């Protein structure tokens, strides 16, 4: 099997933000210009490093149905054999995550699959909502109706892992791979990848920022991991071509999108704070917030539990995220909000963490 690799595509906004975190001194970081990297000869993709590692602010709403459509071109028009094989393998994720996939021809489908060029890629999670309506959010550049089963399964599971919000396992914050960088640069510079040194750095070597992600211990069997031949490492560490979901892939996706999850609470502005508990691994608590008047509002947590806080709008788009701006390890967000319904999402800083906390919301200027 020829090893052709997938870069995870992200929006230019996410690219600029993550470059500032990962490369604070780089020209691209300071200018906000996205780094352009490629996934195959003759192709270029805009992408960034993020991190089964799963950026929690790129997760879809739990229990959501994602619509999937195929964009027609000379290769895909009427090709139901390839489409049906993709549907079959993509649906494996839904056996472990509380997300449904509905395949059809909806023009407003969240996931739009193309068959172009010689690269395979996917936007990560909710980044797909930022793509233009006539653009693909996923591409299978080299898959054919007669592609061998193991390869097709591996590629489809990998790309739909991205679509559900997972990023490449080798950028997991827990990774400690001892790369032989000169050898890796040389290997990836050759076809079919033809990557530059900078592209290899972003795709392989740079690890994610831990506080942005739900992540497990490094999993060498993850479907989200590239193969690693022993000659690419200083200690002969190696990973084969993973062609199916690992136990960690399955378990972690079930944590990210649990079948049973806590109901939302109503967070009343200038009302009493709500006492809650992160009671199990990976739990995310949701609080609805109705804003009647445009203005500046403060949403914050209190207590001894180290939690993160995100505010999303009615379309589940992230407005603002905070980690430690409050007292101790608490989160505190001061932001302008227009009239509408919002959701405050609270999770523990660590995927295995638990503990009690309180959350409140008030108009700016009101006493704490």
């Amino acid at each position: 099997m020829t090893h052709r690799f997938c870069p995870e595509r992200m929006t230019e906004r996410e690219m600029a933000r993550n470059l500032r975190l990962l490369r604070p001194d780089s020209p691209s970081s300071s200018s906000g210009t996205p780094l352009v990297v490629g996934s195959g000869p003759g192709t270029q993709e805009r992408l960034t490093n993020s991190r089964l590692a799963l950026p929690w602010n790129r997760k879809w709403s739990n229990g959501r149905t994602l619509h999937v459509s195929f964009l027609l071109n000379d290769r895909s028009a009427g090709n139901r054999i390839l489409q049906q094989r993709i549907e079959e393998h993509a649906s494996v994720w839904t056996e472990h995550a509380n997300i449904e996939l509905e395949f059809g021809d909806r023009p407003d489908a969240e996931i739009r699959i193309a068959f172009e060029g010689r690269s395979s890629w996917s936007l990560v999670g909710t980044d797909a909502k930022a793509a233009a309506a006539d653009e693909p959010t996923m591409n299978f550049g080299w898959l054919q109706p007669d592609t061998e089963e193991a390869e097709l399964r591996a590629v489809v599971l990998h790309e739909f892992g991205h679509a559900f919000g997972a990023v490449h396992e080798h950028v997991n914050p827990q990774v400690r791979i001892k790369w032989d960088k000169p050898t890796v640069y040389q290997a990836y510079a050759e076809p079919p990848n033809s990557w530059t040194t900078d592209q290899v750095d972003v795709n392989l070597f740079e690890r994610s920022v831990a506080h942005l992600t739900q992540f497990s211990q490094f999993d060498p069997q993850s479907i989200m991991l590239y193969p690693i031949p022993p000659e690419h490492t200083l200690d002969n560490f190696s990973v084969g071509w993973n062609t199916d979901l690992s136990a960690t892939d399955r378990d972690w996706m079930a944590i990210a999108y649990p079948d049973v999850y806590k109901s939302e609470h109503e967070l009343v502005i200038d009302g009493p704070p709500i006492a809650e508990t992160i009671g199990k691994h990976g739990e995310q608590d949701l609080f609805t917030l109705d804003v009647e008047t445009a203005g500046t509002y403060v949403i914050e947590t209190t207590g001894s539990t180290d939690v993160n806080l995100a505010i999303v709008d009615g379309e589940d788009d992230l407005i603002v995220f905070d980690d430690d701006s409050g007292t101790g390890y608490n989160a505190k967000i001061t932001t302008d909000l227009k009239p509408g319904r919002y959701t405050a999402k609270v999770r523990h800083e660590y995927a295995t963490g638990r503990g009690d906390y309180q959350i409140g919301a008030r108009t700016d200027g009101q006493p704490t």
Side-chain angles (χ1 to χ4, degrees):
M1 183 186 300
T2 300
H3 289 173
R4 291 168 284 199
F5 299 110
C6 150
E8 55 208 55
R9 287 169 54 112
M10 296 185 184
T11 62
E12 294 188 9
R13 178 184 61 187
E14 295 293 334
M15 178 64 186
R17 184 197 68 184
N18 282 0
L19 278 178
R20 286 194 296 271
L21 291 168
L22 293 161
R23 300 184 183 182
D25 299 324
S26 73
S28 295
S29 174
S30 59
S31 66
T33 302
L35 180 67
V36 178
V37 300
S39 62
T43 65
Q44 288 193 323
E45 322 286 358
R46 286 189 178 91
L47 66 97
T48 184
N49 178 1
S50 172
R51 28 181 202 257
L52 217 14
L54 191 149
W56 73 283
N57 60 346
R58 289 192 181 92
K59 292 196 303 183
W60 299 94
S61 297
N62 194 38
R64 179 169 181 158
T65 295
L66 298 179
H67 301 91
V68 187
S69 64
F70 294 95
L71 303 180
L72 301 183
N73 61 15
D74 291 341
R75 273 188 52 203
S76 63
N79 190 346
R80 283 300 297 158
I81 294 176
L82 180 56
Q83 293 177 7
Q84 288 171 353
R85 294 180 71 194
I86 290 171
E87 291 178 23
E88 176 186 352
H89 291 297
S91 297
V92 171
W93 279 115
T94 66
E95 298 173 9
H96 311 285
N98 187 21
I99 292 286
E100 295 297 325
L101 293 176
E102 183 176 303
F103 288 82
D105 56 2
R106 289 178 52 142
D108 60 345
E110 293 88 348
I111 301 173
R112 300 179 295 278
I113 300 174
F115 300 86
E116 300 174 344
R118 299 161 64 185
S119 62
S120 291
W121 52 262
S122 176
L123 292 175
V124 176
T126 55
D127 278 357
K129 295 193 292 184
D134 59 348
E135 292 182 350
T137 67
M138 183 182 294
N139 190 68
F140 295 116
W142 68 77
L143 295 187
Q144 302 288 341
D146 59 352
T147 298
E148 65 176 85
E149 193 70 11
E151 179 176 6
L152 188 139
R153 179 174 63 249
V155 173
V156 172
L157 287 174
H158 183 99
E159 301 309 342
F160 271 87
H162 285 321
F164 277 36
V167 294
H168 288 140
E169 182 65 10
H170 45 270
V171 299
N172 187 315
Q174 300 283 0
V175 167
R176 297 295 183 267
I177 298 172
K178 298 179 180 179
W179 296 101
D180 184 344
K181 291 189 176 183
T183 300
V184 176
Y185 287 138
Q186 182 178 353
Y188 278 85
E190 299 172 355
N193 299 295
S194 303
W195 285 352
T196 66
T197 297
D198 213 17
Q199 291 166 345
V200 175
D201 286 341
V202 173
N203 280 292
L204 289 175
F205 298 152
E206 291 180 343
R207 293 195 296 274
S208 301
V209 181
H211 76 265
L212 296 179
T213 303
Q214 284 182 297
F215 58 93
S216 61
Q217 296 295 318
F218 173 64
D219 177 16
Q221 297 180 314
S222 174
I223 194 65
M224 305 310 297
L225 183 64
Y226 288 169
I228 303 174
E231 60 268 24
H232 285 189
T233 61
L234 298 174
D235 56 0
N236 291 320
F237 172 78
S238 64
V239 175
W241 185 276
N242 297 331
T243 61
D244 211 339
L245 303 185
S246 69
T248 300
D249 290 337
R250 296 190 295 268
D251 292 346
W252 205 244
M253 198 60 76
I255 289 175
Y257 298 105
D259 284 331
V260 179
Y261 56 101
K262 297 163 74 170
S263 59
E264 297 182 4
H265 297 283
E266 183 178 359
L267 192 60
V268 178
I269 296 173
D270 297 326
I274 297 174
E276 252 300 351
T277 299
I278 301 293
K280 60 182 180 180
H281 297 171
E283 182 177 282
Q284 182 172 254
D285 293 347
L286 306 180
F287 302 86
T288 59
L289 181 68
D290 289 320
V291 174
E292 296 182 355
T293 305
T296 304
Y297 296 88
V298 179
I299 304 95
E300 63 181 328
T301 64
T302 56
S304 59
T305 302
D306 189 357
V307 296
N308 295 333
L309 173 65
I311 306 299
V312 302
D313 62 16
E315 298 299 320
D316 207 33
D317 288 329
L318 179 68
I319 296 174
V320 62
F321 165 86
D322 185 68
D323 185 12
D324 292 331
S325 295
T327 303
Y329 293 108
N330 281 285
K332 180 179 180 180
I333 288 175
T334 303
T335 188
D336 293 333
L337 297 175
K338 298 177 181 178
R341 168 159 285 201
Y342 300 86
T343 300
K345 298 184 176 184
V346 180
R347 72 170 179 91
H348 201 284
E349 166 69 9
Y350 303 102
T352 57
R354 306 179 187 184
D356 300 329
Y357 67 92
Q358 291 184 314
I359 182 171
R362 66 179 189 274
T363 51
D364 193 26
Q366 293 294 317
T368 303

